[in-house]
Amino acid sequence: MVPAVVLAALIMGAPTLRGTFVGGDDYRLVLNHVLVSRPSLAHAVELFRIVHRDLYQPLPLLSFSAEFAVAKVFGLFERGVDAGAWLFHLDNVLLHALNAVLAFLLIRRLASEEPRAETNHGEDRILSNGTASTPATGDYIAFVAALLFAVHPLQVEVVAWINGRMMLLSTLFALATLLALCRWMRTPSPLWSVLVPFFALCCAISKIRVELPLLMLLVPLAFRRRPRHGFWLIWAASTAITAAFTWINLQATDEAGMFEGAEKNLLGPGLARGLISLGWYFEHFVWPRGLASWYPAPGTVSWTEPLTLRAMLIVVPVLGFATWCVWKLRPAALGFAWFLAAIAATLQVVPTRNALAADRYMYLPIVGLVWVVGVVLLALYCRAAKRVQSAVLRIGVAVAGGIIVAASIAQSWHVASFYDNPVVKSRRIADLFPDAQHVWERAAWALYNVGNYQEAIDLARRELRHEDPRVRSEAHEAVGAALIKLGRFDEALSELGKGLELASDRGGPHYRLGWAYEEMGCIDEAIPYYEKAVEIAPLKNPWIVRLASLYRDRGRPADARRLYEQALRNNPYEVPAILGLAELDIAAGTPEKLAAAERSLLSLLDWYGDDPAAWANLGVIRARTGHVKEAIDAYQQALAIDPLNAVAAANLGQLYESMGNIRAAEQAYKAAEESPGITLDQAVVIHNFYLREGRPEEAVTMWDRIKQQLGSGTEAKAYANFARNLTTSMPRPFDPGKHDNVGVSEFPPELGPDTAKVNHPFEHASYAYYRLLQGAPRWAAKRADWLCESAGNASDGPAAKEQFLLAMGIAAARLPESPWPYCLAARVQLCGDDPKGAAPMIEICAQRCHDDECRDYADRLKKMLGEL
């Protein structure tokens, strides 16, 4: 019997092995949870010290961590995160099979207790008229029940969803607790009296089962024996453990705002909600169609609405049948008691979750219902045996059972297909409940995440038929985000503006508007929107880190530091914030700050040893402090983890070049050049290397390659267009004392005084850019004047002016407080007869001027504008 149960469970779960990480919790609690995805002994200990999102569940997370360790040994994630998902799914399937076996053993034990030899009054316990409860009948009941437990479609969500591990492990230890208690009831011993509360503890730290003490009380009922004093001590210890962890989880859930959200969304009589939930569970147990990972909960319920009346038509007959079972089929009565005790905590009589029903809530309670089915089917078989030949009856039962199991497996495979990836999961929900709020928006985000932006827009717009302004606001946000990805910025700004008007108290539209302006290169316009988003959602670390990064780019290190520290208060393991603070200390450059950055990075590497950015920054610190060998080791460690880490490769190239090892330097520069994340500063370093080596054609090839990598419509491509023309400019002499973290430090060229005009209009852009970085705006201004004089007679004059404007855009990003990039951009626009474009530049120029030379230049521009 046990092999058949195991085989059925494995067959049912087999299709889930092709699935990926599909739910939000798969990312929050598995892939992106540093303590989980970076397995170590220290992390394992830490998992038991913190609450995980809104629940305390360290044991399942520890199992995920163990899987990451195995995946790392065998390189399962080398082809992407989803390439190793099958290992997590496989363990879920194996745990489900183990739970099916435990359910079989427990039901067999309880359904066959107590046999005739051990009855207190010498009378048989009756299963049905004329059939006594014996160990053999217990086997049959348990086999049918365990087989249904293994293949029922309601079980699919827990098995197919990686984060269903919480339910699988808590059920495993709940069943183990009860089996150990049964063993103690038969043969009391210290071992079993310890194992019962131990398993109860393991259950509590997997996912709290508040119903476990009630289920434990079913054991003496099944034994029909007055509990000994020792039973109550064991029960009290297990109940105390359950109560303590229930309180911990209630606190965590309350702090996460789950109770508040449920109270706002679930209105009406609590008993009516519980009735509707029971009706749903009974209906889908018998006819498991229309299953999905989420079901819309009616916001307001009443006793007179059709949904409640329909539930009554289902629940009342079922409860009537349960009452009959109490008198006629005592084992079935125990099954009903199990179901009601186990499901009660999920019924939203008192709102705790914004959901009335979920497949996963049935994983443990369904043991009671399949138990009832086993008892009823055996009773029917016993009655039929009096009228039908046994051979015919057995064949008929085998055929009928095979059909039911096969049909259940087929339906389970069908349901499992909806968990293959986030797109099909979200589309399944939207197709089932097309009129529910948010379903199309969630499907749109799933498509957005895989790059299907136009289809995401089409689906998100289906939400606009709803009247709720927040729903419409979120739909506009999804549409706007997809439009940004498509480069349709005007439309995106319009959509996001509508979303903001509908719900200005939401952080999403503010954040997306900031992102849109940032993508357009309008950083000053982006920052206020980011700031408002962070004000509304102070716990949203990705938003906080993004704003901190912009503060750094705009020369506001104090504000960036404040935000990084806020992110770390939210999550002490926020890696980008730790790295950001370290880089701020590196940029400060004092011995004290460098030492602080080194301590921070070493602490990070203790628990995140394969982070290439941390190793690269550590190399920067050691290079600055004169520890060249240690710096090289750190850069090489970063490149061993990420061979295309541009920061480590470019910095390592500079170190080798300063040591005269040109061959090693070139190899390092080549690695940086091939990196898809190469920055302008890093490219300029490589560019200058090629020019120093007398190989300008390779610099041109590099810029062409970078331009192709960056694609179209990005500010970075504009950088590449401009920087390609730096091949005509004077190379920067290499200064071995200035090798630095490329992208943090600046690289002002060491040019001589300008005494003559350059020979080609394109060269004005590079010279002006370099002069601004040198702090010599007078010479940069001359370049703008000379360009205006020479471009008019050159066939490529318009292109030269475009390059000059791109150069000034780059200079403005590098010198956020300087007025001169705007002043010189306005000068070139004026000579190109573009007063409309020049006017706002002149205004910014005049506003930012703080010296007479700049003010005079601004006045000159205003005069020129007035003359056009």
Side-chain angles (χ1 to χ4, degrees), residues 11 41 56 84 169 186 203 303 327 332 360 383 408 416 430 479 546 558 654-655 658 717 738 754 797 812 825-826 840:
I11 293 174
L41 180 60
Y56 181 76
L169 284 177
R186 273 179 167 268
C203 176
W303 288 105
W327 298 103
R360 59 189 175 275
R383 287 182 177 274
S408 297
V479 172
R546 182 70 220 140
Q654 291 189 91
L655 277 179
S658 69
K717 182 184 177 182
K738 290 188 176 180
D754 286 288

Side-chain angles (χ1 to χ4, degrees), residues 109 112-115 117-121 125 181-188 216-228 231-232:
R109 183 66 55 82
S112 60
E113 289 292 344
E114 64 185 44
E118 297 181 32
T119 53
N120 293 328
H121 304 290
R125 186 157 55 101
L181 185 60
C182 289
R183 183 62 179 268
W184 183 89
M185 290 283 291
R186 273 179 167 268
T187 55
M216 292 174 69
L217 293 177
L218 295 180
V219 174
L221 286 177
F223 275 68
R224 299 178 66 190
R225 185 185 304 168
R226 185 185 298 276
R228 303 182 179 93
F231 170 88
W232 293 113

Side-chain angles (χ1 to χ4, degrees), residues 25-276:
D25 283 348
D26 283 355
Y27 292 92
R28 284 186 290 265
L29 297 179
V30 186
L31 286 176
N32 297 334
H33 197 308
V34 173
L35 299 180
V36 172
S37 59
R38 309 293 169 183
S40 70
L41 180 60
H43 285 189
V45 173
E46 189 66 19
L47 285 173
F48 287 86
R49 298 173 56 188
I50 61 174
V51 171
H52 313 281
R53 199 181 174 206
D54 60 322
L55 292 171
Y56 181 76
Q57 43 199 12
L59 204 55
L61 299 187
L62 187 62
S63 72
F64 293 140
S65 184
E67 287 161 332
F68 272 105
V70 173
K72 184 176 181 180
V73 170
F74 292 99
L76 299 184
F77 291 116
E78 291 178 358
R79 291 181 289 107
V81 294
D82 287 334
W86 66 267
L87 174 63
F88 297 78
H89 285 293
L90 175 62
D91 288 342
N92 273 16
V93 173
L94 295 176
L95 285 171
H96 175 60
L98 178 57
N99 282 336
V101 171
L102 293 181
F104 169 80
L105 296 176
L106 180 64
I107 294 173
R108 182 178 66 174
R109 183 66 55 82
L110 296 179
S112 60
E113 289 292 344
E114 64 185 44
R116 181 180 311 183
E118 297 181 32
T119 53
N120 293 328
H121 304 290
E123 59 187 28
D124 293 337
R125 186 157 55 101
I126 302 301
L127 174 66
S128 62
N129 290 343
T131 304
S133 175
T134 69
T137 60
D139 285 350
Y140 298 140
I141 293 170
F143 178 64
V144 171
L147 207 56
L148 288 175
F149 177 91
V151 302
H152 199 286
L154 278 174
Q155 306 289 69
V156 170
E157 183 188 21
V158 171
V159 180
W161 181 31
I162 288 175
N163 223 58
R165 183 72 53 82
M166 283 65 172
M167 289 289 184
L168 289 164
L169 284 177
S170 64
T171 298
L172 185 151
F173 288 113
L175 296 174
T177 301
L178 297 170
L179 278 168
L181 185 60
C182 289
R183 183 62 179 268
W184 183 89
M185 290 283 291
R186 273 179 167 268
T187 55
S189 71
L191 173 61
W192 296 107
S193 63
V194 170
L195 283 177
V196 173
F198 172 75
F199 288 141
L201 173 63
C202 293
C203 176
I205 61 178
S206 297
K207 187 175 181 69
I208 189 65
R209 292 288 189 182
V210 299
E211 64 269 28
L212 184 58
L214 292 177
L215 297 179
M216 292 174 69
L217 293 177
L218 295 180
V219 174
L221 286 177
F223 275 68
R224 299 178 66 190
R225 185 185 304 168
R226 185 185 298 276
R228 303 182 179 93
H229 293 298
F231 170 88
W232 293 113
L233 291 176
I234 295 172
W235 182 86
S238 302
T239 301
I241 291 169
T242 302
F245 285 97
T246 298
W247 182 84
I248 292 172
N249 282 277
L250 288 174
Q251 291 290 110
T253 303
D254 186 41
E255 291 173 2
M258 304 291 282
F259 293 153
E260 182 180 357
E263 288 177 359
K264 288 181 179 179
N265 291 288
L266 299 181
L267 304 175
L271 290 177
R273 283 197 301 273
L275 183 68
I276 293 170

Side-chain angles (χ1 to χ4, degrees), residues 354-565:
N354 187 20
L356 287 187
D359 295 3
R360 59 189 175 275
Y361 294 165
M362 275 287 280
Y363 192 71
L364 180 61
I366 205 174
V367 171
L369 293 184
V370 295
W371 186 350
V372 171
V373 171
V375 172
V376 172
L377 290 180
L378 182 61
L380 293 175
Y381 177 87
C382 292
R383 287 182 177 274
K386 298 178 179 179
R387 299 177 176 84
V388 182
Q389 294 181 358
S390 61
V392 174
L393 182 60
R394 290 193 187 97
I395 293 173
V397 168
V399 171
I403 293 173
I404 292 172
V405 170
S408 297
I409 290 175
Q411 178 66 1
S412 293
W413 285 9
H414 175 64
V415 175
S417 68
F418 304 135
Y419 293 87
D420 282 353
N421 58 66
V423 173
V424 297
K425 177 186 174 186
S426 58
R427 283 302 301 262
R428 166 66 172 178
I429 296 169
D431 290 339
L432 279 178
F433 311 107
D435 297 323
Q437 295 180 350
H438 298 294
V439 294
W440 294 108
E441 173 224 332
R442 291 168 186 156
W445 282 116
L447 288 166
Y448 171 92
N449 289 331
V450 296
N452 293 344
Y453 303 121
Q454 187 56 56
E455 190 176 355
I457 292 170
D458 296 338
L459 293 189
R461 282 181 170 153
R462 297 192 188 186
E463 295 284 350
L464 297 178
R465 67 180 183 272
H466 294 295
E467 296 297 327
D468 189 329
R470 294 185 69 84
V471 175
R472 295 169 62 84
S473 173
E474 292 178 24
H476 283 301
E477 181 188 342
V479 172
L483 289 169
I484 293 171
K485 287 292 189 179
L486 292 173
R488 294 154 59 181
F489 292 107
D490 289 341
E491 296 175 69
L493 292 175
S494 174
E495 290 287 341
L496 293 170
K498 293 176 184 177
L500 190 60
E501 290 176 7
L502 288 167
S504 60
D505 60 333
R506 291 186 58 248
H510 291 280
Y511 178 79
R512 301 291 174 185
L513 276 165
W515 177 42
Y517 280 114
E518 183 185 357
E519 288 291 299
M520 295 165 62
C522 304
I523 305 301
D524 290 332
E525 290 83 354
I527 286 177
Y529 287 107
Y530 280 137
E531 289 174 334
K532 186 63 178 178
V534 169
E535 178 186 338
I536 294 171
L539 300 178
K540 201 82 170 182
N541 272 6
W543 298 3
I544 295 170
V545 170
R546 182 70 220 140
L547 178 57
S549 177
L550 291 187
Y551 279 156
R552 288 175 59 188
D553 293 342
R554 280 295 183 260
R556 298 167 61 179
D559 290 329
R561 184 178 295 275
R562 171 177 54 81
L563 286 180
Y564 285 137
E565 290 172 348

